[in-house]
Amino acid sequence: MTGKEKVLAVLNKEKIDSIPWLPFAGVHAGKLKGYTAREVSTDAEKLIKSLREVNKLYKPDGQPVMFDLQIEAEILGCDLVWSEDAPPTVASHPLSESTDIPDTIPAATDGRIPLSIEAMKAMKAEFGDTTALYGLITGPFTLSSHLRGTNIFMDMIMNPDYVKDLLSYCVKVAKAVSGYYIEAGMDVIAVVDPLISQISPDHFEEFMAVPFAEVFDFIRSSGAKSSFFVCGNATANIAPMCKTNPDSISVDENVDLAAAKKVTDEHNIVIGGNIPLTSVMLFGTQQDNMKNTVDLIDSVDNTDLLIIAPGCDMPYDIPVENTIGVQQAVHQTEQIREMVKNYEGSEIEFEGELPDYANLEKPFIEVFTLDSITCAACTYMKASAVDIKEHFGDKVDMVEYKYTEPQNIARCKVMEVKQLPSIYINGKLKYSSIIPNRSEFIAEVEKCL
Amino acid sequence: MADFEKISELMQKGKADEVKQLCADALEEGVNPKDVLDKALLAAMNIVGEKFKNNEVFVPEVLIAARAMNFGLEVLKPAMVDDDIEEIGKVVIGTVKGDLHDIGKNLVKIMFEGKGLTVIDLGADVSADKFVEAAVNEGANIIACSALLTTTMTQMESVVKAAEDAGIRDKVTIMVGGAPVTEKFCDSIGADIYTADAATASEKALEACSK
Ligand code: B1M
């Protein structure tokens, strides 16, 4: 099955024997190609190159094109503050002092929608057969708050009709933008609404039930699948969210996935989540990421109607090897479970002997991989080393150590290898996770000849 | 006789006009305004804070209760004699530079006010210098910084540094909080107090001011 087939099968509520993996690489995609968050948020070419790299290294079954909740707001008059290592942020609210309801509906040619559409079309052409593509729109409640500011919370109690009218307007915007993205080839439309975590289930029923159901109906009738993304502690709202009838729901680490899954299972809705973004993905080691993912998969009653994804938009600086670790743990759960066990079992002693790196006869290239057959990034890393070995022939030595062998795990510990895949030359770390280009790799080896 | 319980209940429901009226009635009856404040309004805010902490009420309910509290305060304040309005402590609060999440900060502010502290709100996206400048100008006892992003929490260290540079570090208590912040982080940057939620923050702030 291709990744796309897996995602669509699960969203069609079919039972399959693997779990789809959906890395939410928004601006983080830029990191893979050395572009800043601002560059991938404003330059189609750089964005597409970065998304291609995400597809190559992270082997996603499904992939978002842009994770930017400011696209609609910017068009509708909110000022944005830009950042090099995070998506832009809304800094002003055009309706903060007025209770007018706008009537402008963003056109496909407005603001950064053309950039988004261009990237969608390019991704569709290249990966449309193999990867389920996600178009993300700003949910009606979060868009309302972008326009009105946090007054919206008080309005819910003091001026409920106004809130309902503003939400209806934002539903029109949501439908228009979803329409553009579906036309550009998106398989799934994710309605992203972090603010939903901040209101009670009663308020959800009163204000959100109808507008969200309308958006999901529209997406369904336009031939795409849908997802309801929320961030924050939305535990109390999982059941009401299910009742708006999206095909899937995605939650962050503030929600207990296993408990929430019992609720979504009752409604026959797919749930996605929720690798912790900060404590694990950003600050943890590759081992932590693999372990966390295996534990997460083990925590749920059953793995039907399940997608594994980061909690929300991935921070820009997440180490690449951490995401690779998660990907391996989703796609090769059994193998990674063993690796984690072997790594944790401190009893494995390294039985071999490390080379005398200071006195080698010729340059020695060592490739450490999770498994160069199943892990895409490892395959590329290994291939680049094989290529270099061919280039230099007998003048260099090259070896691969796969992490699937307990003795190789022990070797990694002794050599303090922290990230896989990595390439060491003469015992020193030269490349990790990001594949070196050929000429720099050759130059590096030549220095050691 | 004024029914503190009733005022508290109405305040928790955000019934601002009723709260205002009952506060006015209480004053008519000759009840000490300080008692109405402590036993009705601030008591109600404490309950709201606890309920929010336990996920029983959400952001709109807290904001609306705070509004009702302010309606009550409006009638009580002019009636209070000078010794009633003893200043318990002054706090400058804001969300740090680069960060525009302000919901949590606003709730912390409300809880501080619920403890009778005077709060100067600098808003969101506040630079370290601005925090310190306000603290100096206002003679604040506490600088309270909120951050919701891992990329912005490091700004808190700049606030500590700026307070040192301005020579006020030993005069102000620096409090930090927000989802990604931890006790360990607080210690590592040399701030004074970390709390995980708004209700606890207000208790600690009160303690710090009464030292
Ligand atoms: C001084 O002493 C103290 C003591 C205690 C203190 C304190 C200070 N400050 C707070 N506390 C404590 O008391 C409060 C009450 O008990 C608590 O405050 P909190 O603020 O934690 O709680 C509030 C009452 C309710 N909680 C909140 O208001 C935050 C909820 C979540 C869902 C959230 C929201 C709502 C928003 N967001 Co944002 N957002 C998320 C949040 C998810 C989460 N897990 O927290 C988080 C924080 N956001 C995130 C991101 C990435 C972003 N957000 C962004 C935007 C937004 C919205 C505008 C949509 C909206 C903010 C609206 C507003 N005016 O504040 C963007 C950045 C904006 C910026 N530069 O500031 C953007 C970059 C999103 C994007 N891709 O565009 C994530 C941060 C990841 C990270 N670790 O760095 C995030 C954790 C969501 C996620 N799971 O990915 C305590 O922490």
Side-chain angles (χ1 to χ4, degrees), chain A residues 310-388:
Chain A
C312 207
D313 186 21
M314 291 163 61
Y316 181 82
D317 262 331
I318 285 183
V320 176
E321 63 274 7
N322 286 2
T323 321
I324 292 170
V326 175
Q327 177 266 321
Q328 275 303 97
V330 183
H331 286 153
Q332 309 291 329
T333 314
E334 287 317 313
Q335 197 188 43
I336 295 292
R337 195 196 310 282
E338 276 307 301
M339 285 182 193
V340 172
K341 217 193 289 166
N342 283 333
Y343 185 84
E344 284 183 335
S346 51
E347 68 275 14
I348 327 169
E349 286 281 319
F350 181 50
E351 288 157 7
E353 209 173 294
L354 291 183
D356 178 8
Y357 288 115
N359 300 301
L360 294 167
E361 271 172 31
K362 34 183 159 168
F364 187 28
I365 303 170
E366 292 171 289
V367 188
F368 292 88
T369 65
L370 282 164
D371 180 345
S372 60
I373 298 167
T374 61
C375 153
C378 305
T379 314
Y380 295 120
M381 196 67 108
K382 161 98 181 289
S384 78
V386 168
D387 176 40
I388 296 303

Side-chain angles (χ1 to χ4, degrees), chain A residues 218-360:
Chain A
F218 173 81
I219 295 169
R220 188 168 292 114
S221 68
S222 309
K225 295 287 172 197
S226 61
S227 189
F228 193 158
F229 282 14
V230 65
C231 312
N233 188 353
T235 308
N237 281 326
I238 301 293
M241 286 165 66
C242 287
K243 289 190 204 144
T244 62
N245 205 18
D247 296 308
S248 60
I249 280 176
S250 193
V251 296
D252 82 4
E253 63 257 38
N254 288 289
V255 173
D256 174 349
L257 190 74
K261 189 168 188 306
K262 289 189 205 297
V263 180
T264 51
D265 277 354
E266 270 171 34
H267 292 84
N268 197 33
I269 284 174
V270 176
I271 190 159
N274 66 351
I275 314 285
L277 291 176
T278 310
S279 56
V280 178
M281 292 199 79
L282 185 61
F283 292 133
T285 62
Q286 192 174 41
Q287 285 293 335
D288 297 335
N289 278 270
M290 296 194 290
K291 178 167 177 5
N292 204 278
T293 307
V294 172
D295 289 349
L296 185 66
I297 293 171
D298 290 346
S299 77
V300 294
D301 289 344
N302 64 75
T303 55
D304 299 330
L305 306 181
L306 178 68
I307 290 176
I308 296 292
C312 207
D313 186 21
M314 291 163 61
Y316 181 82
D317 262 331
I318 285 183
V320 176
E321 63 274 7
N322 286 2
T323 321
I324 292 170
V326 175
Q327 177 266 321
Q328 275 303 97
V330 183
H331 286 153
Q332 309 291 329
T333 314
E334 287 317 313
Q335 197 188 43
I336 295 292
R337 195 196 310 282
E338 276 307 301
M339 285 182 193
V340 172
K341 217 193 289 166
N342 283 333
Y343 185 84
E344 284 183 335
S346 51
E347 68 275 14
I348 327 169
E349 286 281 319
F350 181 50
E351 288 157 7
E353 209 173 294
L354 291 183
D356 178 8
Y357 288 115
N359 300 301
L360 294 167

